[in-house]
Every structure is written in C-alpha cells, then in structure tokens.
Amino acid sequence: MVFKIIIALISLNIMIEDFRYRSIHWLNIVALIAGVILGIIFHAFTFMSHDFLLNLTFLAIQYISLTFYFSIKQRRLINITRAHIGSGDIIYLRS
C-alpha cells in the first residue's frame, strides 16, 4: 500500500511537470521505476496479471482509437507518436 502511494505521488509530480513545462525531469522516471521495482520485490511478486492485461488493453484501445481518429481527419495513415504524442507521454504511459 505504501509503495502504491509513493508511485501515485511520483506520477502526480510527473503529470504536473508535464503540464507546466511540457517536459519532465529524468530523475522522476528513475524514481518511478525504482518504486515499481521495490514494490514488486517487497510484495513477493504478487503481480496481478488480470489488472496488467486490463490496463494494457485500455492503452491499446486508446492508441488505436487516436490513430484511427487522426488518420480519418487527415485522410492518410498517421503515426500519432511522431506528431501528436510527446516522448514524455509515452514514457509516462509505459511506466
């Protein structure tokens, strides 16, 4: 529970930095990864595969929907990671 709160606070900090400065500091990513790793280690690998698959499915649906929307809007196939989504957003979603 403590690690979930720490990870949530680090994620909140990343979100605030992204909104304010349109960039994030690399130490936030290191802290987030360290928090996740420590959380996994201290919880004896009680990783819920159902939650992981649910989150992964949600992100895939969002990615496909956005690609479809921008492709229809511009009348050609659009890779949204090049022009519409920043690298900080991708790192945030993958962590």
Side-chain angles (χ1 to χ4, degrees):
M1 181 69 174
V2 173
F3 288 106
K4 288 183 181 181
I5 293 171
I6 292 171
I7 291 171
L9 290 175
I10 294 170
S11 297
L12 180 67
N13 186 34
I14 290 173
M15 184 183 71
I16 290 170
E17 278 189 14
D18 188 36
F19 284 146
R20 291 180 81 190
Y21 306 114
R22 295 300 300 158
S23 65
I24 57 174
H25 198 272
W26 66 275
L27 284 177
N28 286 326
I29 300 301
V30 172
L32 188 63
I33 292 170
V36 169
I37 290 172
L38 288 174
I40 290 172
I41 289 172
F42 285 117
H43 289 278
F45 300 102
T46 57
F47 187 73
M48 297 292 186
S49 61
H50 175 70
D51 291 340
F52 174 74
L53 290 174
L54 187 65
N55 290 337
L56 189 63
T57 303
F58 176 72
L59 289 176
I61 289 171
Q62 279 189 323
Y63 180 78
I64 291 168
S65 299
L66 284 173
T67 301
F68 185 69
Y69 171 76
F70 284 115
S71 295
I72 288 177
K73 187 175 177 183
Q74 302 208 356
R75 295 185 181 147
R76 61 185 172 92
L77 187 60
I78 299 294
N79 184 359
I80 61 172
T81 58
R82 292 195 179 179
H84 300 287
I85 296 178
S87 61
D89 298 325
I90 294 171
I91 292 171
Y92 181 73
L93 287 173
R94 288 187 180 172
S95 59

